Amino acid sequence: MKQYIEYSEEVSEALKNNKPVIAIETGGTFAGIPYPENVATAGMVCEEVRKAGAVPAYISIMNGKIKVGMSDAELDDYGKRRGSMTKASRREIPLILAKGEYGVMTLAATMVVADLVNIPVVSGGGMGGVHRGAEVTMDISSDLEEIAERNVVVVCSGAKSILDLNLTMEYLETKSVPVMGYKTDEMPAYMAIESGIKLPCRMDSVEEVARAYHIKNELKIKTGMILMNPISREYAVDAKQMNKVIDEAIIRSREDSVKGKAITGYLMKYLKDKMGSDSMDAQKHMILENAVLAAELSAELQAMKASV
């Protein structure tokens, strides 16, 4: 396994010395935000994660190697390649490695790597889920399969609003995945705060979340956990406006015969194009806020582990 994975010096040192580390999805930052803003966003995220007491590890594939953490120079090189890299979920990882190429990691792929290298906290923007019309298309994100299998806590702002959020929650319930809201009773809807969907559990501190994860492992309950963190109200987009644009995007995607793996990117691009700078600002702050919360949780988990 070691021949396929490279650690940044910072991450390697942290893991050796039992310091908190978080795995960060590259998809939201490096596929969703143009250069050079993607690199600037990543730099800001890394800085704030360190301030919160953890080491940031952006997860990527570069030159046929899984990278766990990247240097500033690597982040800049990676950011310049936006649009030319393969979107990697679990199934693409060995294919990209075999061809010696670059890959931008989905949340599912990030979970795979984090679990493999024993990093328990993963930070992302929004999860994938059950697509609208999935009762016909069977289009369900591999994010939902991975969270049921990986021993990680994923910090995200709910599922992407282009999805069927009710069916996504039903699917997670079927898979027995614990879903928690951080200081909220309502499922956040990616860049919007309101979804109208009540969450099964509210957590008001990282200590509570860390205890739940610790107890799950003590009882050998084999599943990941999701901590849904709503974006700050000052940066959130209007839910009604967003849903109107999503409805338009879905109609347009059907007219353009967009299917399968391409549908998520198509819908997200349409959403961002129509909502303009508001959606871009929301995405940046959502990624940052989730990473900071993930860092605080990672630090708490490490402290709990040291005290046992």
Side-chain angles (χ1 to χ4, degrees), residues 44-213:
M44 178 175 60
V45 167
C46 290
E47 182 179 350
E48 294 302 317
V49 165
R50 293 181 186 111
K51 287 180 183 177
V55 170
Y58 268 102
I59 307 298
S60 66
I61 298 177
M62 299 183 73
N63 285 320
K65 294 278 188 180
I66 294 171
K67 298 287 293 186
V68 181
M70 292 190 277
S71 68
D72 290 344
E74 287 171 331
L75 286 171
D76 189 67
D77 174 55
Y78 194 74
K80 289 175 181 175
R81 295 173 185 271
R82 179 183 182 268
S84 66
M85 297 183 287
T86 302
K87 182 181 177 183
S89 192
R90 174 176 57 179
R91 69 179 181 178
E92 285 81 20
I93 292 174
L95 309 181
I96 298 169
L97 293 178
K99 295 178 75 173
E101 296 179 345
Y102 282 67
V104 61
M105 308 295 257
T106 63
L107 196 53
T110 307
M111 284 186 255
V112 171
V113 175
D115 193 33
L116 197 63
V117 300
N118 296 315
I119 297 175
V121 183
V122 173
S123 178
M127 288 194 74
V130 180
H131 277 264
R132 302 182 191 196
E135 64 274 12
V136 176
T137 64
M138 294 299 290
D139 193 350
I140 300 171
S141 169
S142 57
D143 289 358
L144 300 187
E145 292 294 316
E146 292 304 329
I147 191 61
E149 299 291 333
R150 304 294 169 181
N151 187 28
V152 296
V153 183
V154 170
V155 180
C156 63
S157 295
K160 294 184 176 73
S161 12
I162 58 173
L163 305 167
D164 188 319
L165 300 183
N166 280 298
L167 283 183
T168 297
M169 288 300 294
E170 288 288 344
Y171 194 94
L172 289 167
E173 182 180 350
T174 299
K175 291 289 186 177
S176 298
V177 174
V179 180
M180 305 164 283
Y182 188 67
K183 298 182 180 180
T184 183
D185 298 301
E186 183 174 354
M187 179 186 186
Y190 195 50
M191 294 181 287
I193 294 173
E194 302 86 3
S195 69
I197 300 171
K198 184 174 174 58
L199 289 172
C201 177
R202 174 185 176 127
M203 293 294 195
D204 287 311
S205 69
V206 291
E207 291 83 5
E208 286 182 323
V209 180
R211 272 201 304 276
Y213 180 77

Side-chain angles (χ1 to χ4, degrees), residues 15-31:
L15 292 174
K16 285 177 185 175
N17 292 290
N18 296 315
K19 292 181 179 179
V21 179
I22 66 165
I24 309 174
E25 171 203 18
T26 44
T29 303
F30 291 96

